[in-house]
Each structure stands twice: as structure tokens, then as C-alpha cells.
Amino acid sequence: MLDWLERTWNTIYGVISQTVLSTFPVLNIILVVMAGCFGSMLFGKIKAPVRDALLKTVGIIAMLMGASVAWDGFFVLQTGQFETKGTILVVFALLLGYVFGDALAVDRALDKLGAKLSGLFAKKNPTAQAKDHKAPAPAEVPSKVTLQKSKPVGNEGFVLATVMCAFSAPNIRYAIESQLNEEAVPLLIKIGFDILVIFLLAAIFGSDVTFAAAPILVVEGALILITKLWGDLLTPALIGQITLVGAVILIATGLGLGLGKKYRTANLIPALLIPVIYGLIMLLADKAFKAE
């Protein structure tokens, strides 16, 4: 009886694993869109204190996920003591990446992308438009400082969802390792994380969060394609370095949400490329050294 149950479980698990591995991007996007649709049903129905608590909950989830992924990369147990590794490269990548990200205004670019995606499907409401275009009284014209303080963030939910679900450590690490090792469990963890984050953000910010499915699909598809084409170049060290940078981005995003601060963590996205560039330089240097 036990042998039959074990064989049955192994068969079911094998079918689920192969299904998830072969259809991961499509399956993940379908579930993300569903989570966004269900979450957006709660938008506008949640009171401000509960909404703030949910936003902090998203931040805590992000910090925990980022910390769990970063733990294996930052700390190594040697001679009975924990030692750090990869710290210098991560700090250098974050500093240099933020400089490029700020110069390229990545956060604004994502905000504009979210506006364009939502504009493709948004239904125009004549009544709302009439209210939006109502001219203010001359005496109520705000000063420049007041405008800067009161200016709302256009697509904050979309930007947060994109950073946390597309460019964070879980997506990068699990998407690559699942293809290299043919393991479905990391992908299931990633899918569960995406569903929870998208659902909560959609309940807080509205249906625009759902459009984050587009960049998530692009990034996941690119990671899988790169892994299949150049998997031999993705050494454990390189994967670990990229993962560490992605983990710090996720932790910083979660910390900002938990403290109620708005950090422009989207500008850190170019930092993910620094370990790749460093790895290519070291690879070319190694080949040149061997050629001599």
C-alpha cells in the first residue's frame, strides 16, 4: 500500500513539475493577472488605516523574501563562524547601478510604461474627465513647493509590482536555477510570491498593478531564453552575485514600504547588469591569460 502511494505521489509530482517547468511564464502570468483582477475588486473599499497596514505587510513580505534569498549569498559557515562574501561587488554594483539608473530615470520610465499600458485598456469616463478638467479658482492656485509636495505618484503600484516581481532576486534566481536544475519547487515559490504581492498591491493601488504582468513576462522569458542559450556561462558565482543585488533591491523596496518612505528603488535595476559585465570581463581576461 505504501509503495503504491509513493509511486502515485511521484507520478503526480512529476506531471506537476514538468507542467510548471514547460509552461512557467504563461502559467505565472495567468495567475498574476487573476490575482490582480481579484485584488482590484477591493480597491476603494478598504479604509485608509487598513490600506496602510496592507502596504506595510507587502513591505514585510518583500524584506523577508529578500533576506531569505540573500542569506545564502551573503553568509557562509566556515570554521564554525559565519563569514560574509560578495559584499564589495554588491556595494559597487548598487552604487554604480544607481548612478546609471538615476541618470536614465528608470523609475520615471517605468511610471510612463504603466501609464501607457493602462491607457490602452482604460475606459474613459466623461464625468470623471469633466471633474478633472474643472478649472481651479485663481485664489487657489498652489505654489511651486505645494505642487511638489502634493503631486501624486502616477503608477506607484505598477512600479512597485514590476520591481518586486520582475527584477527582484526570487525571479532571477528561481527562473535561472529551475532551468539549469529542472526543479519546479523554486518556481512554485516564485508564483506564490507574485500572486500574494500582486493581489495586495492591486487592492491598495487598483487595477493598474495588473499590467505589471507585461514586464514580468518579458523578464522571465528573457531569463529562460538566456539560460537555454548560454547556460554554460551562468556560473554559480555569477548567479549568486546577481541574486545578491536583486535581494538588496527587494529588501530596500520592502524597507521603504514598511517605514512609509518612497525610495526610488527602480533606479537600482541597472545594478543587476554590473555583475554580468564583471563576469564577462573576468572571462575574457581568463581566456586571454590562457592564450598567452
Side-chain angles (χ1 to χ4, degrees), residues 106-208:
V106 176
D107 59 332
R108 295 180 184 177
L110 285 179
D111 188 82
K112 292 180 180 179
L113 176 61
K116 289 181 179 180
L117 291 175
S118 60
L120 293 175
F121 301 95
K123 295 180 179 179
K124 296 183 179 181
N125 188 341
T127 304
Q129 286 184 342
K131 291 182 179 179
D132 291 340
H133 288 84
K134 184 179 179 181
E140 297 179 356
V141 176
S143 63
K144 184 177 180 181
V145 177
T146 306
L147 281 173
Q148 292 177 349
K149 291 183 178 180
S150 62
K151 184 180 180 180
V153 178
N155 294 276
E156 183 180 357
F158 172 84
V159 175
L160 285 173
T162 301
V163 173
M164 295 173 66
C165 298
F167 295 100
S168 63
N171 192 33
I172 297 170
R173 178 179 178 179
Y174 296 153
I176 294 175
E177 289 186 349
S178 64
Q179 298 300 314
L180 293 176
N181 305 326
E182 295 186 355
E183 294 181 1
V185 175
L187 295 182
L188 293 175
I189 297 174
K190 170 63 172 59
I191 291 174
F193 174 76
D194 286 357
I195 291 174
L196 182 59
V197 169
I198 295 296
F199 176 81
L200 293 176
L201 289 179
I204 297 168
F205 295 102
S207 60
D208 288 350

Side-chain angles (χ1 to χ4, degrees), residues 93 114 210 236:
T210 308

Side-chain angles (χ1 to χ4, degrees), residues 249-266:
I249 293 175
L250 187 58
I251 293 173
T253 304
L255 184 62
L257 294 177
L259 297 177
K261 306 292 183 179
K262 295 180 181 180
Y263 300 139
R264 294 183 295 176
T265 52

Side-chain angles (χ1 to χ4, degrees), residues 171-181 220-243 272-273 275-277 279-280 283:
N171 192 33
I172 297 170
R173 178 179 178 179
Y174 296 153
I176 294 175
E177 289 186 349
S178 64
Q179 298 300 314
L180 293 176
N181 305 326
E220 288 176 351
L223 288 173
I224 293 175
L225 181 61
I226 291 172
T227 305
K228 290 184 178 296
L229 295 178
W230 301 292
D232 296 337
L233 300 178
L234 297 174
T235 61
L238 178 58
I239 296 174
Q241 292 161 359
I242 299 174
T243 300
L272 295 168
L273 298 176
V276 178
I277 297 173
L280 291 175
L283 179 63

